[in-house]
Amino acid sequence: MRGQTAPKDVSSSSNPSLLLSLNPATLRRDFPILERLVHGKPLVYLDNGATSQKPRAVINAISGFFENGCANIHRGVHLLSGEATQAYDRARATICQAMGAARPDELVFVRGTTEAINLVSRSWGDLHVRAGDEILLTEMEHHANIVPWQFLARRAGATIRVLPITPEGALDLDKLPSLLTDKTRLFAFTHVSNVLGTVNPATELCRIARERGITTLVDGAQAVPHGPVNVGEIGCDFYVFSGHKMFGPDGIGVLYGRGKLLSSLPPWQGGGDMVERVSFEESTFRPPPDRYEAGTPNISGAIGLGSAFDYHALLNWPELREHEHALAAAAHEALLSIPGVKIQGTVPGKAPVVSFTMDGIHPHDIGTILDSEGVAIRAGNHCAQPLMARLGIQSSARASFACYNTLEEVETLAKAVRKAHRYFG
Ligand code: PLP
């Protein structure tokens, strides 16, 4: 049963603090965890590239579902199931509108970016990629946008090719024409680099690929957290992202697929809720998105993600983007004033992701000293080993900001990095 009358809204039980977003200090009040102390010091959370913190509105939407409306969707004849189904479908419609998709059925709920790319590599890839074909990636991809294509290349007998980056960390677009050949079937690239912060010209890249009849997949995991993304304007075939990096819960994300293309593809997992008729001889499948959502989906996750999009819609993104750029600029300036610090990724207009190394100090040691000061950053290869190899390093420290971070927190970061320099430098 997909619809019942007079449903209760189980997707939210309280409103976020409306339109307080102009001032990041006020915005912070929507995120209860930011009040926490860590090792007796105020938490300075700068690991947003790994996962963002959650506003109370999202927390309430999820707990509201479990307290008032928990039921499975699409199956029950009872009231709760109808309400849950409506809340699940409403989340998809909200995301469709926010992302400029043509119809909600262009959006498939998945576990996250990684699962979305694996889905495309199976459903689209096995249908369209043959021996001798080429898949073009870039040097700045996360492992999630490399390994599934390697699996596909191995299955099909295809070849992976790689668009290099410049020393500043931009894509080397002069090399693009020679890499897009008659054999190229797919160009898969990240919208925003999780290491360099580089914002790639997704619309332009998709236009170039489209003119050559090449399918495009854009990894939006690090783009969606920093304001609205419009898939219609980008003109991509596939766009993928994870909810947990944009104030939503983990275990839920979205695959956008252009309508006609998505409905031409076979399912990748079989089970309940994705079939029309089943016999022991054969099965027929429902249209998207059901065809790609076999089994009970992450219902509370989808409702939480819808609520994260509702929350995003309340924010003044032009202003918050300026604020995020100011945070990144301040972090660059403060860190570069410390002896031995090098920053990876200096392309103008970058997203607020600041990766850095320090002479003589392992990034894990930087991370540990910062943690003792209450500052949470990431240290490691950031699931981008090919990029690390290109940069000539094994790992780096990474401070990644969200719109709720403040300039005072940048100062605390710099103070803690100076402490690491005094210890080891
Ligand atoms: N792509 C990029 C650019 C990322 O930064 C990440 C995660 O950090 C992913 C893909 C994978 O996301 P998830 O682990 O949520 O599937």
Side-chain angles (χ1 to χ4, degrees):
M1 281 284 287
R2 271 168 192 266
Q4 296 192 338
T5 50
K8 189 166 186 268
D9 182 358
V10 295
S11 64
S12 66
S13 58
S14 82
N15 285 325
S17 54
L18 296 178
L19 296 174
L20 291 176
S21 56
L22 297 186
N23 176 355
T26 325
L27 174 72
R28 288 172 73 79
R29 291 192 205 134
D30 289 340
F31 295 79
I33 202 172
L34 298 178
E35 301 282 308
R36 238 200 99 153
L37 296 181
V38 170
H39 305 305
K41 311 233 164 88
L43 168 65
V44 175
Y45 186 77
L46 304 180
D47 196 16
N48 295 283
T51 202
S52 71
Q53 297 302 344
K54 320 304 173 200
R56 198 174 291 286
V58 170
I59 299 167
N60 287 347
I62 296 166
S63 61
F65 171 72
F66 287 121
E67 282 175 15
N68 297 314
C70 181
N72 209 331
I73 57 167
H74 293 169
R75 299 162 191 210
V77 290
H78 57 83
L79 183 78
L80 287 188
S81 180
E83 288 176 358
T85 301
Q86 290 215 351
Y88 185 77
D89 292 345
R90 191 164 49 244
R92 199 190 312 269
T94 298
I95 298 166
C96 169
Q97 201 196 6
M99 297 201 66
R103 296 190 312 272
D105 56 21
E106 291 184 319
L107 303 174
V108 179
F109 283 125
V110 288
R111 269 198 306 131
T113 309
T114 304
E115 187 171 82
I117 296 173
N118 277 278
L119 190 166
V120 175
S121 78
R122 272 280 169 193
S123 285
W124 174 88
D126 285 350
L127 193 64
H128 289 285
V129 176
R130 296 278 168 268
D133 287 348
E134 292 176 359
I135 296 162
L136 181 61
L137 307 178
T138 86
E139 223 166 20
M140 63 170 83
E141 298 311 313
H142 187 282
H143 296 164
N145 204 22
I146 300 174
V147 182
W149 306 120
Q150 285 173 339
F151 290 167
L152 170 62
R154 210 160 297 149
R155 287 196 302 274
T159 306
I160 304 273
R161 305 200 69 190
V162 182
L163 178 63
I165 60 167
T166 66
E168 296 74 35
L171 292 178
D172 189 347
L173 295 180
D174 292 343
K175 305 254 164 57
L176 185 59
S178 65
L179 286 164
L180 292 173
T181 72
D182 288 349
K183 295 178 187 162
T184 314
R185 291 289 154 266
L186 176 79
F187 183 20
F189 61 90
T190 193
H191 197 170
V192 173
S193 163
N194 67 316
V195 176
L196 307 165
T198 308
V199 181
N200 289 321
T203 306
E204 174 72 355
L205 296 176
C206 289
R207 184 186 59 74
I208 294 169
R210 195 167 54 245
E211 283 170 3
R212 291 162 168 80
I214 295 166
T215 301
T216 47
L217 179 141
V218 184
D219 173 353
Q222 297 291 342
V224 172
H226 302 292
V229 163
N230 189 304
V231 289
E233 281 168 17
I234 291 172
C236 49
D237 292 303
F238 298 108
Y239 194 95
V240 299
F241 65 93
S242 304
H244 67 94
K245 295 181 196 288
M246 55 149 302
F247 306 160
D250 46 57
I252 188 79
V254 168
L255 161 66
Y256 158 81
R258 204 168 36 77
K260 260 194 182 155
L261 181 60
L262 194 64
S263 45
S264 70
L265 303 179
W268 78 309
Q269 290 178 338
D273 237 18
M274 49 80 74
V275 282
E276 276 165 350
R277 299 189 67 81
V278 179
S279 72
F280 281 111
E281 286 69 42
E282 62 172 355
S283 305
T284 57
F285 308 109
R286 286 197 203 156
D290 297 357
R291 183 186 301 178
Y292 306 108
E293 294 182 4
T296 299
N298 183 350
I299 304 164
S300 60
I303 290 169
L305 183 58
S307 159
F309 269 88
D310 284 340
Y311 185 82
H312 262 231
L314 298 172
L315 304 181
N316 181 342
W317 280 107
E319 195 146 329
L320 290 175
R321 276 202 185 111
E322 245 176 64
H323 170 67
E324 289 185 348
H325 283 143
L327 293 173
H332 271 237
E333 195 183 326
L335 291 175
L336 287 173
S337 73
I338 300 166
V341 169
K342 290 189 194 72
I343 290 179
Q344 291 82 41
T346 53
V347 175
K350 67 184 268 186
V353 176
V354 183
S355 297
F356 61 99
T357 48
M358 288 176 84
D359 290 344
I361 313 180
H362 193 280
H364 283 155
D365 292 330
I366 302 174
T368 305
I369 291 187
L370 266 55
D371 179 55
S372 72
E373 297 296 313
V375 180
I377 61 153
R378 183 136 297 236
N381 61 42
H382 315 298
C383 295
Q385 287 180 28
L387 174 60
M388 292 287 139
R390 162 68 178 83
L391 297 171
I393 54 180
Q394 295 225 315
S395 59
S396 67
R398 182 187 72 183
S400 51
F401 298 86
C403 56
Y404 46 62
N405 288 124
T406 64
L407 286 166
E408 291 72 40
E409 289 181 313
V410 174
E411 276 171 32
T412 309
L413 165 72
K415 230 179 179 175
V417 175
R418 265 186 227 109
K419 180 175 167 189
H421 173 67
R422 281 198 302 278
Y423 257 64
F424 291 96

